[in-house]
Amino acid sequence: MRNWVKSGSPWIWLTGGMVSISLVMVIGLIMLIAVRGLGHFWPSDVVEVDYTAPGRETVRLLGKVDASETITAEAMRDAGFEVPEGYSIITRHRLKLGNRDVTGNDFSWFARPLMGEFSYPEDALVLNRTEWGDFIGYLRAVKQDGEVVAEGEAAWDELFARVARAGDLRGEINRIERYDIGQVNLQIERLRLERRGLRMRGVSEDDPRYAELSAQRDALRGEYSVHESRRNELRQRIRRDSLVAELPDGSEKEIRVANVVRAFGPNRMGFTDKVAHYADRFNEFVTGFPREANTEGGIFPAIFGTVIMVMLMSVIVTPIGVLAAIYLREYAKQGPFVRIIRISVNNLAGVPSIVFGVFGLGFFVYFLGGSIDRLFYPEALPAPTFGSPGLFWASLTLALLTLPVVIVSTEEGLTRIPRSVREGSMALGATKAETLWRVVVPMTLPAMMTGLILAVARAAGEVAPLMLVGVVALAPNLPVDGVAPYLHLERAFMHLGFHIFDVGFQSPNVEAARPLVYATALVLVVIIVVLNLTAMMIRNRLRERYRGESD
Amino acid sequence: MHDTVTRERVTQPSALPNAENRKRLRSWRGFKDHFSRIFVGIGGVSVIIALGLIFVYLAYEAVPMMRPASVEVAASYDAPGNGEAGTLAVFLERHQQLAVRFADDGGVTFFRPESGEIVLDERLPIPEGVEITSFARAEPRTGLVALGLSDGTAILARHEYEDTWVGGRTVAKPSLSYPFEEEPFVVDDDGLALDRIGVQEGGGGVKMAVQTADGGLRLAEYAGRTNFMTGEVEYERTAVDLEAPPYDVRRLMLSIDMRDLLVGDEGGNIHYYDIGNINNVQLRDSASVIRDGGEVSTMDYLLGTVSLIVGGEDGSVSQWFLVRGDDNVRRLQKVREFEPHSGAVTSLNPEYARKGFFTGDENGNLGIRFSTSERTLYLNNVVEGAGIVYAMPAPRGNGGLLLDTDNRIHYLDIWNRHPEVSLRGLWGQIWYEGRSEPTYTWQSSSATDEFEPKFSLVPLTLGTIKAAFYAMLFATPLAIMGAIYSAYFMTRRMRSLVKPSIEIMEALPTVILGFLAGLWMAPFVENHLPAVFSILVLLPLSMLLVAYLWHLIPHRLRSGVPDGWEAAILIPVVLFVGYACIQMSPVMEVAFFSGDMRQWLTDQGYTYDQRNALVVGFAMGFAVIPTIFSIAEDAVFNVPKHLTQGSLALGATRWQTMTRVVLLTASPGIFSGVMIGMGRAIGETMIVVMATGNSPVVNMNIFEGMRTLSANIAVEMPEAAVGGSHFRILFLSALVLFVMTFFFNTIAEIVRQRLRKKYASL
């Protein structure tokens, strides 16, 4: 034993253990996100169970088992929870009961000893609704204009068909509201600003341009009322159907099919049905728009916003980062001054991102943006155009934030180019610029790519500075649309990282939103892991390539 | 031969460019080379300048806070209106378009402050043969003034301004109104002159305190009651005589909650009467407020009528307020003293919207001060050859009016944007209004107008240190030991798997770590506290145990697994111990902590928040581990091989080589890794925002939360008014963060560069 300790082997094991802990943490974390995030869309079975709280009547519960844990009875009591006597350790389940509009709380913990047998009724119905979250009950009948058209088993197919119809109509209504009416409104607003601009420039009231603007506005208003009446007609049509469902407590409730996004009976679905359902839900999540204060629906605007922001940032950061790196490595006189600059650039990578956010808000948004507004958009003042947080400023801020990454990586690439290559080029009579742009830079391209990918990965995950310079929880419009100039740099946008923060911490119903947060986190993690692995691959290949040449 | 060749060249043009073209091409290439040099040079330099701009800009936003106030006399003129009459008071209107003068002949003159041009001349309804004997104003923002008359009555009047939008700008229209009753309020039934008066309105009524000509002190309350028949408000008087102080009264001050009456006298005392119940008024406390028995020359409440500023005959200026003692009785307490005047303080008026005030003295000096920050922003002679009678700030604090002893008015242009900030206010213990002792507090905003903003950076800095400390406590041993193992003991195959995993760990967005910490880990830790602590203890022990058991396995059996795979063997051990501890957690709670460890901690006197420093330590530690790991691993891995081989050849064990040779050589690199990790922990924002309750507490309790500088910026920046003091303080904290992390990183970078040089020379 003593020899064993003396050999130092236990300490080697201990250090090895630390690596194991780190690995377990990383892999465990990614697995946790993956399981929770992916599990959310699976239509798990609905449980029916009797629950008897001490001294109360037995109630029937219907819901999905959402979480389970084993804790001490004392802790549960301290948390104000009803616990049967005689237990010191109790398992409890959290059921997702849904029906927030009826009962007020859609998630509840129940102690296992107080619950009866679990059963899985065939006629259990789950509805994803446009408001009030999920509904969970038993399907009884389907009605059209108040008349029952199908009951019992027949009601299921009838319901699916009608939900599909309502879905189409709702899609049509959304399209009209979002695109047609939205665009008309935007154009009317633009006309208003134009008129105001004319007035500010002192153009007299009887100038023909005013009349022209009025005519355009009237035409747009006519267009607006056409769209509006069409929407109202669709709204009328979508209200036709309803369904009758029984609640777990035995009472019946009538629900408009118009409010149902998706209806399914998980207990009667086979495996293939469930997979199809899963794919459908996942598709909605990735391509759909959020509903109910971001706690339901999709995250498409957030993905889109993140991508657009990152692309803009890349366009800004690549040329200036590369230029700075080339200057530092190729043109600047190597000496203490350049060393100091290099250290500073390196250090900027370690400066907290929130500091960049503060700088972006003060300098870009308020100073630059405010100046742009005064110069180019005086007619919109005091409402800011560029003087408020938006896409362009966010991209610019993140470009500044990721600049050190690109500079450092490009510089590294430049150092790695063997001297012989440069000298060969010079010996053939090329100028310095030709050597640089024709020989050295193309060879450094992969290194630049690596830097850019790392920058993109960092930017995609950064939230703190964006909170100050342009991200919002819910943007009414995407930053790209069909109205000129198509790319709206001044608009605020949605972002995956901020979406996680907002839904997880600012949302009114955290429990309901939580699975969605996991799913969003999964999307973000996947994006970032893929980007990083790509960067790593490029880098490794680079190393291999130059290993031979530099010797 | 020679000729032929030449002829051929002429007849058959060569494919090569001729001399002129070559020259042109050469110069074009030279130009391109030159241009490229300049272009890259300009680009590179401007990028570097842009990065430097961050620091400059942050400082540029933060610096104006430390600027003192500046005062400029924009205009001086004789008091408008009846120049023969004495002036009681002057006030400015919000936009500084108008000012008003109350004269002791009952004249009320509205005039332009920049020229003295009269806009409106009114007269107070003073009965024939009666004189004004005293004057007081309620809180300045109410515009209410009280004039005590020689017949024992008082007039209450209000100067008001109505803003109208005319031709693209606001125009203020003045008026003088009588908000209660136009005929004078009878205060003293015997008709004695009111020598001193104090007034305050609130709660549907008015209170007045007076000293009558015979030296008696009297308090009168006029409660408004709406007559249901006529809809008119009628005022009912309740008046009581108070026990008068032994000296003549100088000032009578009523608080806006109508509960306190403070009386300053010529003996240098202040007396505090509890007037919450007018039928049971009690003298609660008397205090001598001027040194050596000097007179209280003037005193006034600050905004919100909590703090009292006392000006003495001797030029002293001090702040007092009522502090509840142990016996639950409120007593007068001196809070702070300001830079004194050279002569008697003759005028003292509070600002309208913040806790600042103006003081004027008999030698013509004006003082601009702020209570919370204890700053004297300005103290200088403004009026030459005359004393100041009345110094009144403008409602927005950007101007002021002075009245001097020659009955001249001086209109002041003032820059005083950030009086709230001082070094002491940011870093020292401050006695805030309503607190029983000086504290470090951060509380930047509140719903009420009378709120005193508390800008102490101490809780935030301490929170930053606390979060970073616990994160480093968790991350440093893990990362350094892991780095040592993976750089020196691990096989190459496993290392090629571990390094990318750690890099992925570094790339994970902190928002994800923060959300997991806040939503998953915090409740989990709360429910499994014993598991958390037992894992911390048992994991290393179990590793040693496994190592020992492994050692006992016959050599023949374990030779199948070569050295360098220990970490892989330990992974199942880690998983098992973790799982077992979590499973055993409730059992341990029942056995040792009477069933609920959280409650047990509370009983031991530790506050427990669900989102606390422990959770932050884990989550932020997770974020910091890869940073430290990569740099430390690099340092260890790059230790020249001949050093280690030499050591091994001399018979040292692998561990001895590690501790005696490798670690010593690589320690600067490891140090720089820790520094950079520290920098990251200090600046991390999202994890702290999400995994703590963001309460700015001043302690190091691991079971309580904290608010860090960075989280504070993220939370408050979007709401701070642009250009305000709060906004600039947030810039300052960003600057502090910037400088702190830059400092840590620079040290780390320099150490690393030295190390690199050392390795190269070895």
Side-chain angles (χ1 to χ4, degrees):
Chain A
M1 175 93 182
R2 177 181 271 186
N3 275 337
W4 175 67
V5 173
K6 252 182 143 177
S7 74
S9 158
W11 315 125
I12 296 178
W13 278 82
L14 202 59
T15 53
M18 296 304 149
V19 175
S20 329
I21 294 178
S22 307
L23 285 180
V24 166
M25 285 198 308
V26 184
I27 295 164
L29 184 132
I30 292 178
M31 296 259 287
L32 177 80
I33 296 173
V35 169
R36 299 250 172 142
L38 291 174
H40 169 54
F41 307 110
W42 187 254
S44 53
D45 285 346
V46 171
V47 169
E48 186 187 87
V49 64
D50 286 334
Y51 177 78
T52 322
R56 304 252 184 87
E57 270 182 42
T58 301
V59 288
R60 185 167 57 157
L61 303 173
L62 186 69
K64 296 178 185 177
V65 179
D66 175 63
S68 306
E69 66 180 11
T70 305
I71 60 170
T72 63
E74 191 61 33
M76 276 167 87
R77 251 179 235 123
D78 288 337
F81 201 81
E82 286 178 35
V83 178
E85 294 298 325
Y87 289 88
S88 60
I89 296 170
I90 289 182
T91 302
R92 61 176 182 173
H93 299 293
R94 187 171 61 195
L95 293 192
K96 180 181 183 183
L97 302 169
N99 309 352
R100 204 187 313 154
D101 46 342
V102 183
T103 56
N105 57 333
D106 40 0
F107 288 85
S108 267
W109 285 102
F110 299 98
R112 185 70 188 94
L114 301 177
M115 294 164 101
E117 282 288 300
F118 282 11
S119 65
Y120 301 90
E122 279 281 294
D123 56 348
L125 168 75
V126 180
L127 301 176
N128 298 149
R129 295 181 291 182
T130 54
E131 51 187 27
W132 298 111
D134 283 2
F135 173 86
I136 302 178
Y138 309 94
L139 180 64
R140 290 292 172 251
V142 174
K143 287 182 175 177
Q144 176 173 339
D145 297 322
E147 305 287 323
V148 173
V149 289
E151 273 183 300
E153 201 53 32
W156 284 95
D157 287 333
E158 199 63 42
L159 177 65
F160 292 146
R162 280 157 204 267
V163 167
R165 170 184 175 270
D168 291 344
L169 287 172
R170 197 169 42 241
E172 183 74 359
I173 293 174
N174 279 343
R175 207 185 54 73
I176 292 174
E177 282 180 347
R178 193 181 293 276
Y179 299 109
D180 299 348
I181 294 187
Q183 288 202 6
V184 170
N185 279 341
L186 267 177
Q187 282 165 355
I188 289 179
E189 171 65 13
R190 196 167 285 178
L191 290 179
R192 188 187 71 83
L193 288 180
E194 231 167 278
R195 171 182 294 266
R196 208 169 151 211
L198 283 180
R199 213 166 268 153
M200 283 174 89
R201 266 175 275 136
V203 178
S204 76
E205 285 293 329
D206 36 68
D207 193 278
R209 276 178 286 180
Y210 286 105
E212 197 183 313
L213 287 177
S214 298
Q216 283 181 17
R217 190 188 57 202
D218 292 342
L220 283 170
R221 283 195 178 148
E223 212 175 300
Y224 181 91
S225 60
V226 170
H227 289 310
E228 198 181 25
S229 62
R230 219 171 95 67
R231 181 192 64 181
N232 290 346
E233 183 219 316
L234 287 173
R235 275 191 179 168
Q236 204 55 44
R237 279 173 57 197
I238 201 174
R239 294 167 66 86
R240 185 189 70 178
D241 302 324
S242 62
L243 68 98
V244 180
E246 190 185 318
L247 292 167
D249 63 4
S251 62
E252 288 202 338
K253 185 174 164 63
E254 191 169 336
I255 298 166
R256 279 195 189 285
V257 172
N259 296 337
V260 177
V261 177
R262 193 178 287 105
F264 57 102
N267 296 356
R268 39 193 291 138
M269 283 162 96
F271 182 72
T272 43
D273 287 342
K274 286 195 171 180
V275 169
H277 178 93
Y278 185 92
D280 180 40
R281 290 280 297 273
F282 194 79
N283 181 39
E284 188 207 346
F285 176 68
V286 177
T287 59
F289 283 80
R291 286 185 275 120
E292 290 208 61
N294 290 351
T295 62
E296 300 275 345
I299 54 165
F300 177 70
I303 297 179
F304 189 80
T306 311
V307 169
I308 285 284
M309 188 267 295
V310 163
M311 276 166 56
L312 259 177
M313 181 214 75
S314 310
V315 169
I316 300 165
V317 77
T318 317
I320 57 176
V322 167
L323 218 56
I326 291 178
Y327 170 74
L328 281 178
R329 183 53 63 185
E330 303 285 331
Y331 282 108
K333 206 167 147 230
Q334 304 298 317
F337 180 69
V338 166
R339 257 222 344 263
I340 289 173
I341 286 178
R342 202 164 282 143
I343 291 180
S344 309
V345 169
N346 249 331
N347 287 353
L348 274 177
V351 166
S353 53
I354 188 82
V355 173
F356 287 92
V358 171
F359 174 77
L361 180 72
F363 188 74
F364 292 145
V365 176
Y366 291 138
F367 181 71
L368 286 187
S371 310
I372 290 176
D373 276 4
R374 276 190 296 280
L375 282 177
F376 300 109
Y377 301 94
E379 69 273 9
L381 286 174
T385 311
F386 274 96
S388 70
L391 178 62
F392 185 58
W393 302 132
S395 308
L396 213 54
T397 306
L398 284 193
L400 208 56
L401 176 78
T402 51
L403 196 55
V405 181
V406 177
I407 294 181
V408 168
S409 173
T410 309
E411 257 207 272
E412 220 163 82
L414 286 171
T415 10
R416 219 167 251 155
I417 304 292
R419 222 184 142 83
S420 52
V421 173
R422 272 175 242 256
E423 283 167 355
S425 166
M426 298 286 234
L428 287 173
T431 60
K432 184 161 186 176
E434 283 162 347
T435 309
L436 187 63
W437 297 111
R438 304 268 175 85
V439 179
V440 176
V441 169
M443 282 180 80
T444 327
L445 268 183
M448 294 174 191
M449 275 305 288
T450 317
L452 182 62
I453 291 172
L454 288 178
V456 165
R458 171 137 195 226
E462 204 58 73
V463 177
L466 293 181
M467 284 163 74
L468 304 183
V469 291
V471 152
V472 286
L474 190 61
N477 295 306
L478 291 177
V480 173
D481 63 18
V483 181
Y486 309 113
L487 174 61
H488 300 271
L489 291 173
E490 79 285 359
R491 277 190 195 163
F493 62 105
M494 289 172 74
H495 179 268
L496 279 173
F498 185 71
H499 196 75
I500 293 173
F501 171 62
D502 175 67
V503 178
F505 290 82
Q506 322 270 38
S507 121
N509 191 352
V510 176
E511 293 299 338
R514 193 177 301 203
L516 221 63
V517 185
Y518 278 103
T520 314
L522 181 66
V523 172
L524 186 57
V525 167
V526 167
I527 291 177
I528 282 166
V529 167
V530 166
L531 282 173
N532 270 285
L533 288 179
T534 319
M536 269 181 232
M537 243 163 58
I538 294 178
R539 203 176 47 197
N540 288 346
R541 201 165 288 170
L542 261 182
R543 264 187 204 154
E544 295 300 318
R545 192 202 288 176
Y546 292 126
R547 186 162 291 159
E549 291 175 20
S550 57
D551 287 339
Chain B
M1 274 302 279
H2 191 261
D3 279 349
T4 340
V5 172
T6 320
R7 209 175 305 129
E8 263 177 18
R9 202 180 278 165
V10 172
T11 49
Q12 273 191 355
S14 159
L16 289 170
N18 62 19
E20 196 183 326
N21 279 347
R22 280 209 307 276
K23 198 177 157 203
R24 202 179 300 150
L25 187 64
R26 217 168 26 240
S27 76
W28 170 236
R29 284 172 63 202
F31 169 75
K32 276 203 293 188
D33 189 40
H34 198 66
F35 174 78
S36 161
R37 175 185 301 273
I38 290 175
F39 174 68
V40 172
I42 290 175
V45 169
S46 58
V47 167
I48 288 152
I49 290 175
L51 290 177
L53 183 72
I54 298 176
F55 177 81
V56 174
Y57 181 75
L58 291 178
Y60 165 80
E61 284 287 346
V63 159
M65 285 193 300
M66 291 300 160
R67 238 177 93 181
S70 63
V71 174
E72 220 171 287
V73 180
S76 297
Y77 37 82
D78 288 324
N82 182 1
E84 299 297 309
T87 306
L88 294 168
V90 282
F91 300 102
L92 269 167
E93 173 264 341
R94 195 149 58 99
H95 305 292
Q96 298 190 32
Q97 291 175 359
L98 290 169
V100 63
R101 165 188 179 230
F102 287 85
D104 62 6
D105 65 343
V108 179
T109 315
F110 291 93
F111 59 95
R112 300 258 173 240
E114 67 278 2
S115 60
E117 175 200 340
I118 295 170
V119 177
L120 179 70
D121 218 349
E122 294 256 10
R123 287 201 76 75
L124 291 165
I126 296 169
E128 204 63 38
V130 174
E131 278 175 20
I132 295 175
T133 50
S134 58
F135 174 88
R137 57 153 177 70
E139 274 225 298
R141 55 192 165 138
T142 62
L144 184 72
V145 298
L147 299 111
L149 304 183
S150 57
D151 63 350
T153 61
I155 295 177
L156 292 178
R158 198 195 295 280
H159 56 105
E160 287 177 310
Y161 310 88
E162 195 188 336
D163 288 351
T164 47
W165 187 258
V166 182
R169 57 183 239 116
T170 46
V171 173
K173 210 173 134 257
S175 66
L176 185 68
S177 69
Y178 304 93
F180 304 103
E181 286 168 11
E182 191 155 344
E183 47 289 6
F185 283 87
V186 179
V187 183
D188 187 65
D189 299 313
D190 302 335
L192 287 171
L194 308 180
D195 279 355
R196 303 281 177 197
I197 189 164
V199 67
Q200 207 65 259
E201 79 172 311
V206 183
K207 270 186 185 171
M208 278 188 273
V210 296
Q211 187 183 36
T212 45
D214 61 352
L217 202 57
R218 199 169 163 80
L219 178 70
E221 177 184 77
Y222 300 85
R225 207 155 283 146
T226 312
N227 187 326
F228 289 109
M229 309 299 285
T230 61
E232 277 176 16
V233 185
E234 290 167 2
Y235 289 90
E236 196 175 292
R237 188 190 77 169
T238 322
V240 287
D241 286 317
L242 308 182
E243 176 195 344
Y247 299 93
D248 255 3
V249 168
R250 265 295 166 97
R251 295 278 286 166
L252 293 154
M253 300 305 310
L254 290 152
S255 69
I256 46 171
D257 59 5
M258 303 283 179
R259 299 168 63 88
D260 312 327
L261 168 64
L262 296 176
V263 178
D265 71 20
E266 293 185 352
N269 304 309
I270 293 183
H271 310 277
Y272 159 47
Y273 294 84
D274 184 348
I275 56 167
N277 177 358
I278 194 153
N279 297 315
N280 182 23
V281 174
Q282 290 192 350
L283 176 63
R284 291 267 188 220
D285 192 23
S286 295
S288 169
V289 296
I290 308 291
R291 273 191 211 99
D292 309 324
E295 281 182 34
V296 172
S297 57
T298 179
M299 64 185 217
D300 215 311
Y301 271 126
L302 290 186
L303 169 72
T305 67
V306 176
S307 291
L308 186 76
I309 305 292
V310 179
E313 207 86 296
D314 57 352
S316 66
V317 180
S318 55
Q319 183 181 358
W320 297 71
F321 51 68
L322 298 168
V323 173
R324 204 175 287 282
D326 296 331
D327 51 357
N328 212 16
V329 174
R330 301 202 299 160
R331 291 204 171 75
L332 282 159
Q333 167 74 44
K334 182 171 180 173
V335 181
R336 55 181 72 93
E337 198 156 328
F338 297 87
E339 199 182 316
H341 275 278
S342 58
V345 181
T346 49
S347 165
L348 201 160
N349 282 299
E351 291 194 41
Y352 285 62
R354 52 188 189 191
K355 307 275 180 184
F357 57 98
F358 282 17
T359 51
D361 71 11
E362 57 188 357
N363 304 328
N365 296 316
L366 172 73
I368 301 178
R369 303 150 189 282
F370 199 83
S371 77
T372 319
S373 61
E374 215 177 304
R375 268 179 95 178
T376 295
L377 294 130
Y378 185 87
L379 182 56
N380 237 328
N381 191 283
V382 180
V383 184
E384 290 203 18
I388 291 176
V389 177
Y390 206 77
M392 191 71 207
R396 285 177 176 165
N398 52 356
L401 280 184
L402 288 187
L403 176 73
D404 68 17
T405 39
D406 300 335
N407 211 11
R408 277 177 70 79
I409 288 174
H410 307 271
Y411 173 48
L412 307 177
D413 195 7
I414 295 174
W415 186 98
N416 183 22
R417 292 240 182 97
H418 307 292
E420 301 96 331
V421 186
S422 66
L423 269 186
R424 227 188 101 79
L426 290 177
W427 298 105
Q429 246 180 349
I430 299 285
W431 200 329
Y432 298 105
E433 288 182 355
R435 303 290 170 108
S436 55
E437 59 192 4
T439 52
Y440 298 109
T441 309
W442 174 273
Q443 194 187 357
S444 55
S445 55
S446 154
T448 62
D449 293 341
E450 297 104 52
F451 173 71
E452 181 179 33
K454 302 169 183 67
F455 293 125
S456 172
L457 289 181
V458 172
L460 305 181
T461 312
L462 197 74
T464 308
I465 294 170
K466 180 177 172 182
F469 172 76
Y470 285 115
M472 294 306 280
L473 203 62
F474 174 62
T476 317
L478 235 146
I480 293 180
M481 289 168 87
I484 289 172
Y485 182 82
S486 108
Y488 195 68
F489 299 113
M490 195 183 275
T491 61
R492 255 187 90 174
R493 277 249 332 266
M494 188 161 175
R495 190 160 175 266
S496 66
L497 285 175
V498 168
K499 280 215 81 170
S501 319
I502 299 288
E503 274 178 52
I504 293 288
M505 185 174 176
E506 182 160 23
L508 279 179
T510 53
V511 67
I512 287 179
L513 299 181
F515 128 73
L516 281 178
L519 286 187
W520 175 75
M521 194 168 170
F524 182 84
V525 167
E526 188 186 18
N527 286 339
H528 298 89
L529 270 175
V532 172
F533 289 102
S534 55
I535 286 177
L536 287 181
V537 176
L538 288 182
L539 259 189
L541 290 181
S542 65
M543 285 168 192
L544 293 177
L545 184 71
V546 169
Y548 186 63
L549 293 178
W550 185 259
H551 161 74
L552 293 182
I553 297 175
H555 197 269
R556 161 166 67 80
L557 285 178
R558 64 184 152 121
S559 62
V561 182
D563 279 350
W565 285 95
E566 288 92 344
I569 295 166
L570 283 172
I571 286 179
V573 177
V574 171
L575 288 175
F576 173 76
V577 171
Y579 178 77
C581 285
I582 290 164
Q583 287 305 309
M584 291 303 288
S585 175
V587 180
M588 285 185 272
E589 263 190 297
V590 171
F592 304 117
F593 304 107
S594 62
D596 188 353
M597 185 162 172
R598 190 193 156 148
Q599 189 60 42
W600 182 82
L601 280 171
T602 313
D603 295 341
Q604 305 298 311
Y606 297 103
T607 320
Y608 189 96
D609 298 334
Q610 192 193 51
R611 292 179 182 166
N612 54 35
L614 183 67
V615 176
V616 172
F618 284 133
M620 205 144 82
F622 188 95
V624 172
I625 285 172
T627 312
I628 306 178
F629 182 93
S630 323
I631 298 169
E633 212 245 18
D634 225 37
V636 174
F637 191 75
N638 287 331
V639 171
K641 288 282 171 290
H642 58 261
L643 287 182
T644 56
Q645 281 159 0
S647 162
L648 290 171
L650 288 172
T653 63
R654 289 200 302 160
W655 184 251
Q656 279 169 334
T657 309
M658 178 84 242
T659 51
R660 309 279 163 81
V661 178
V662 177
L663 272 189
L664 275 184
T665 326
S667 56
I670 295 174
F671 170 78
S672 86
V674 172
M675 282 285 118
I676 289 179
M678 185 84 176
R680 188 160 177 203
I682 284 175
E684 180 45 52
T685 312
M686 289 318 288
I687 293 180
V688 188
V689 168
M690 296 161 97
T692 73
N694 286 312
S695 47
V697 296
V698 189
N699 65 37
M700 289 295 277
N701 180 0
I702 193 171
F703 299 116
E704 272 185 75
M706 79 288 281
R707 175 182 281 215
T708 66
L709 285 167
S710 52
N712 186 56
I713 295 172
V715 171
E716 296 191 354
M717 197 67 171
E719 285 144 34
V722 181
S725 297
H726 182 202
F727 183 78
R728 291 191 195 282
I729 289 174
L730 293 179
F731 267 86
L732 178 72
S733 43
L735 187 67
V736 169
L737 272 179
F738 183 92
V739 171
M740 268 204 301
T741 47
F742 209 86
F743 172 75
F744 278 121
N745 288 341
T746 306
I747 290 182
E749 194 58 36
I750 290 172
V751 168
R752 256 167 84 187
Q753 293 216 344
R754 287 238 174 109
L755 186 70
R756 226 170 272 155
K757 238 184 232 163
K758 198 168 96 185
Y759 282 167
S761 67
L762 272 171

